[in-house]
Amino acid sequence: MSSSDDRESILSRVRGALAPLHERAAMPDYTTELAVMRQMMGSRDALVVFAERLALVNGIALTDPVALVARLRENKWLHGYCDPALWPALAPHFGADFKVETTYDRKRVDDYAFGITRAVGAIAETGTIVLNDATTSRRLGALTPWVHIAVVERAKIFSDLPEAVAGLGQDTNVIWVTGPSKTADVEGILIEGVHGPGVQIALVV
Amino acid sequence: MRFQQIDQFAAELKADTRAAVYDGSKKGHEKRTKLLFDEYADPDRLRRIAGEVKQHVVENLDTYLPQVEAKLKANGVIVHWAATAEAANQAVLGIMRARGATKMVKAKTMVSEETELAHFLEKHGIEALETDLGEFIVQIDGDHPSHIVKPIIHKNRREIATSFEENGLGAYNDDPQTITRRARHFLRHKYLEADVGLTGANFVSAESGRLVLVTNEGNSRFCLAATKCHIAMVGIEKIVPRDYDLALFLNLLARSGTAQELTVYTEFISGPKSPTQPDGPEEMHVIFVDNGRTEVLASDCRDILRCIRCGACLNVCPVYRQASGHAYRSVYPGPVGAVLSPLMMGDKFPQKADLPKASSLCGACHEVCPVNIPIPDLLLRLRNRAKEENVPSPGTPPMGAWALLASQPTAWRASLFGGKIINYLPTKLLPIPALRAWEAKRSLPAWRGGEFRKWLKTRKGRANVSPPAPSRAEAKKAD
């Protein structure tokens, strides 16, 4: 059978299955305020809440590039990739001990200890960074290095999930990243850095 | 006496496995409750509304399916339909062959477990590698997942270390961090070599055609960053009406499944990569899979199609905790599986008609369900169906003798009186082995056969109530 035969057969079976129903369940009327965490935001500053929630999922929020560079140096994460659009502004903070490339070579995936890319926004109540195709210079550059640094504009922090969903926009690939990549598959023990970054940093500017 | 298959399986389960499953499922459940009830004013209302939204979708699939298809096509996605598991696998194979592709990396998808896709592709000379750590371990072991969210809940680190060693992934080392790093290193090169990335979808918005994928490890993101073609296998019931509804479901899914506020990666994918983006699929296919779902839709248990595969009902189920997922002989174990698996069998329903009996109907699965599925009611309906279709049940104890006694008043009275012997019988001599085992750790209530009839005959008013029954031990002491 071809896909179009299967299409007809599935749709006719669906119609047949639903035909005996006298009444179909109606779509409930609700507002997504229902799904907002209670007392999370209050009148607090979105950045404060974002940093606090990000820390709870073992992510790190920084506001000063100097602190970022110090942390990278301290951990000997000296070789990385940076979005070429961000590099001119960041370069003055990095010393000569760093090797930063603005093109990403997928053949040398293990060379990059860190990757710096732009985020399109963030979500305060969950400590989430929002990435999309338009602002991420390379999907791989934001994923394969051990450390991912997302540069987030302070004005683009959503308060909560419903607000962030409303702001998904037209991009075909929107990714919410909440902390470092992790697993608990082996005996329920939390291990960070599975296929993606083991360290997730948000640099809020 | 023969037991139900699932009881037999549970009885033979290794102590290690039982402990792993019990601990793993219990931990997830306790954290979930705290998270939901601390953070939301009325989490039960959240579950009810989410249930109503999905029920609405299920009962209007005839409208939503063509709607979502049109939206996906408009987004540049190639849409396929597969009535059966075989058709779904053939569709994937067709796409692979048309591209001349020989390597696939797979994110976790339960639909592909239903169709045994990886196995099918390997038979046709295509490498189809599981990339979720748990699924990867299941694959190299030639095993099956035993939980829909935590596939290797039944394995301990020593078993995993042994399979890594046997599969050339380094000398024996059972440190979970080392295991994870080794998988990371091995798999990242596999992603980069692969032509095609395959995923499922947790939700599909009919309004925008966005596929929503949730993972923690970043493997599905990697599949869609490294490869040039994305295939998504999607069950026909995965639709939500609007993007607006996604916030509600995302708030419930991770909390219910893994007791997280959100999973690490939540991906909203509405088509091939943007033209300006160097990485990612230039081609995207969605395969809508029926594989028994329309059978479920035609039944009086269609509510089960609301399921968002969080696994909360497995974690809370006392039967699942004791028996483990493999006892259910199905891709979907636990309470949801006990409903879904027999129904998806279609004409072969009798082969799994025993599963709905593997429940004490305690109702915990209904209480935790993020889409409020009345699972105990559905289990009862399926028990009824098995009875109506005269499906033989090997595990029911013979009731003939009891029926004979109960229909002869004289014999009944005599047995009520005669049963008193049990009060004087030493535990070791109790006639039924199960009763002996039970009594070894507890006290059987004293046999008081006939007391109720006596009380009924002599009672004068409502105040004349019989005292509570003394335990068997107390009855013995009193004697």
Side-chain angles (χ1 to χ4, degrees):
Chain A
M1 254 196 339
S2 75
S3 174
S4 67
D5 290 341
D6 277 27
R7 179 186 189 277
E8 283 324 302
S9 109
I10 292 172
L11 290 178
S12 86
R13 288 167 64 92
V14 166
R15 284 190 293 267
L18 294 172
L21 293 184
H22 298 301
E23 218 179 328
R24 310 272 185 102
M27 181 69 183
D29 192 18
Y30 72 98
T31 61
T32 46
E33 276 160 33
L34 183 71
V36 175
M37 274 191 240
R38 83 175 141 187
Q39 292 162 358
M40 189 51 66
M41 289 299 291
S43 55
R44 293 200 294 162
D45 179 68
L47 175 58
V48 173
V49 176
F50 169 70
E52 179 189 300
R53 305 301 291 178
L54 180 58
L56 285 178
V57 287
N58 294 345
I60 302 155
L62 301 173
T63 49
D64 182 2
V66 175
L68 169 69
V69 172
R71 192 179 280 259
L72 292 175
R73 186 175 282 130
E74 190 187 320
N75 288 285
K76 299 200 170 57
W77 295 319
L78 298 173
H79 186 174
Y81 162 79
C82 181
D83 176 349
L86 287 170
W87 187 235
L90 289 172
H93 301 286
F94 284 76
D97 48 342
F98 281 92
K99 182 180 175 191
V100 179
E101 302 178 43
T102 52
T103 54
Y104 180 94
D105 181 358
R106 58 186 274 153
K107 290 193 195 75
R108 295 186 288 109
V109 63
D110 292 323
D111 283 4
Y112 307 100
F114 62 87
I116 310 177
T117 65
R118 278 187 296 160
V120 66
I123 310 170
E125 74 167 2
T126 49
T128 301
I129 292 155
V130 183
L131 311 178
N132 69 7
D133 262 4
T135 52
T136 303
S137 52
R138 294 283 313 239
R139 290 188 189 179
L140 286 169
L143 182 75
T144 63
W146 182 251
V147 185
H148 177 229
I149 300 125
V151 180
V152 188
E153 286 174 42
R154 188 175 177 150
K156 292 190 176 166
I157 304 178
F158 298 111
S159 310
D160 49 53
L161 251 52
E163 206 179 275
V165 166
L168 280 173
Q170 295 301 308
D171 203 284
T172 63
N173 192 275
V174 182
I175 312 291
W176 292 356
V177 184
T178 310
S181 129
K182 65 186 180 190
T183 187
D185 273 349
V186 181
E187 292 189 7
I189 296 159
L190 176 72
I191 305 290
E192 289 173 337
V194 191
H195 305 282
V199 178
Q200 180 66 59
I201 298 174
L203 179 65
V204 185
V205 295
Chain B
M1 191 177 92
R2 287 175 62 207
F3 291 105
Q4 294 281 354
Q5 284 191 59
I6 193 165
D7 293 339
Q8 194 66 48
F9 190 97
E12 290 163 6
L13 202 61
K14 282 194 303 181
D16 260 12
T17 311
R18 191 197 310 279
V21 171
Y22 185 85
D23 292 346
S25 46
K26 189 158 177 265
K27 231 185 281 173
H29 170 67
E30 283 165 359
K31 230 172 114 196
R32 166 213 165 264
T33 308
K34 185 167 161 40
L35 208 57
L36 268 177
F37 283 81
D38 282 359
E39 291 177 348
Y40 293 96
D42 191 356
D44 278 332
R45 177 139 185 269
L46 227 68
R47 299 190 311 117
R48 272 200 314 278
I49 300 269
E52 286 171 25
V53 172
K54 280 299 299 249
Q55 188 71 20
H56 164 75
V57 169
V58 166
E59 293 188 12
N60 291 278
L61 273 179
D62 49 350
T63 315
Y64 280 118
L65 280 169
Q67 188 185 331
V68 80
E69 179 191 36
K71 197 67 214 174
L72 285 167
K73 283 182 171 170
N75 291 347
V77 177
I78 302 161
V79 180
H80 309 253
W81 299 80
T84 60
E86 173 66 18
N89 288 346
Q90 286 293 350
V92 175
L93 183 63
I95 298 164
M96 296 293 289
R97 287 201 169 142
R99 295 182 58 84
T102 56
K103 288 179 179 174
M104 168 189 284
V105 276
K106 272 184 87 255
K108 184 171 159 46
T109 117
M110 292 312 291
V111 188
S112 74
E113 292 291 335
E114 287 175 33
T115 70
E116 297 182 35
L117 175 72
H119 190 62
F120 169 88
L121 290 176
E122 307 252 308
K123 271 201 308 206
H124 288 83
I126 287 169
E127 179 182 278
L129 204 61
E130 298 286 354
T131 58
D132 173 88
L133 180 61
E135 294 281 344
F136 173 68
I137 290 164
V138 160
Q139 187 175 38
I140 62 175
D141 273 356
D143 196 357
H144 290 283
S146 74
H147 188 289
I148 56 181
V149 174
K150 297 171 266 192
I152 52 166
I153 193 170
H154 62 292
K155 287 183 194 290
N156 62 42
R157 60 175 87 183
R158 295 175 296 285
E159 295 169 89
I160 298 164
T162 308
S163 10
F164 267 47
E165 189 175 30
E166 284 167 6
N167 284 278
L169 293 162
Y172 181 95
N173 187 323
D174 63 14
D175 167 37
Q177 177 144 331
T178 306
I179 290 170
T180 309
R181 292 289 174 272
R182 284 175 175 176
R184 173 185 175 95
H185 185 74
F186 175 76
L187 285 168
R188 59 178 31 213
H189 297 284
K190 291 291 185 182
Y191 293 111
L192 291 161
E193 286 168 13
D195 309 289
V196 173
L198 185 128
T199 71
N202 293 85
F203 307 102
V204 185
S205 158
E207 176 191 25
S208 62
R210 284 183 211 275
L211 266 63
V212 182
L213 292 170
V214 305
T215 70
N216 273 318
E217 298 180 2
N219 56 319
S220 115
R221 173 67 167 160
F222 214 143
C223 289
L224 302 185
T227 67
K228 285 294 164 208
C229 174
H230 176 198
I231 305 176
M233 282 175 104
V234 183
I236 56 169
E237 83 286 16
K238 287 286 168 196
I239 301 170
V240 298
R242 308 162 297 181
D243 286 4
Y244 186 82
D245 303 310
L246 291 171
L248 179 66
F249 285 98
L250 287 171
N251 264 312
L252 284 164
L253 178 58
R255 284 183 172 83
S256 305
T258 49
Q260 290 172 277
E261 286 172 0
L262 264 185
T263 48
V264 177
Y265 292 89
T266 307
E267 304 173 69
F268 302 83
I269 298 152
S270 57
K273 72 176 182 68
S274 312
T276 52
Q277 173 58 240
D279 298 322
E282 288 152 358
E283 190 179 305
M284 179 171 168
H285 299 262
V286 168
I287 305 171
F288 282 113
V289 182
D290 178 347
N291 194 31
R293 285 165 175 76
T294 48
E295 295 275 354
V296 185
L297 188 65
S299 75
D300 59 355
C301 294
R302 69 177 67 82
D303 301 22
I304 202 72
L305 291 175
R306 290 183 212 163
C307 175
I308 58 172
R309 308 284 190 265
C310 70
C313 62
L314 278 63
N315 294 340
V316 77
C317 177
V319 177
Y320 175 87
R321 285 180 182 180
Q322 294 297 329
S324 98
H326 288 161
Y328 292 79
R329 320 189 302 279
S330 311
V331 170
Y332 302 104
V336 60
V339 178
L340 203 51
S341 306
L343 284 166
M344 286 174 69
M345 297 294 284
D347 295 345
K348 292 178 190 145
F349 170 79
Q351 288 179 17
K352 290 186 182 167
D354 61 309
L355 294 181
K357 294 182 188 167
S359 165
S360 61
L361 302 176
C362 71
C365 47
H366 183 188
E367 246 171 51
V368 299
C369 178
V371 282
N372 200 28
I373 302 173
I375 296 177
D377 294 350
L378 305 184
L379 291 169
L380 281 174
R381 284 178 203 171
L382 290 175
R383 289 183 187 185
N384 186 44
R385 176 173 161 191
K387 185 78 188 160
E388 278 173 1
E389 293 182 13
N390 293 315
V391 181
S393 175
T396 312
M399 300 297 277
W402 185 85
L404 193 72
L405 280 178
S407 54
Q408 316 265 345
T410 323
W412 183 251
R413 274 197 297 275
S415 69
L416 285 180
F417 182 76
K420 278 193 177 152
I421 191 170
I422 213 166
N423 292 345
Y424 306 101
L425 212 57
T427 307
K428 276 185 296 198
L429 294 181
L430 285 171
I432 304 166
L435 207 57
R436 275 203 300 276
W438 196 88
E439 248 274 322
K441 287 184 182 165
R442 306 168 185 84
S443 292
L444 200 64
W447 180 275
R448 304 174 73 236
E451 291 289 321
F452 177 72
R453 288 162 173 256
K454 218 188 284 171
W455 168 79
L456 196 67
K457 265 188 211 154
T458 56
R459 91 196 158 111
K460 300 219 169 67
R462 276 169 175 263
N464 189 3
V465 178
S466 206
S471 76
R472 187 167 179 264
E474 282 165 354
K476 271 187 271 190
K477 257 183 254 154
D479 288 337

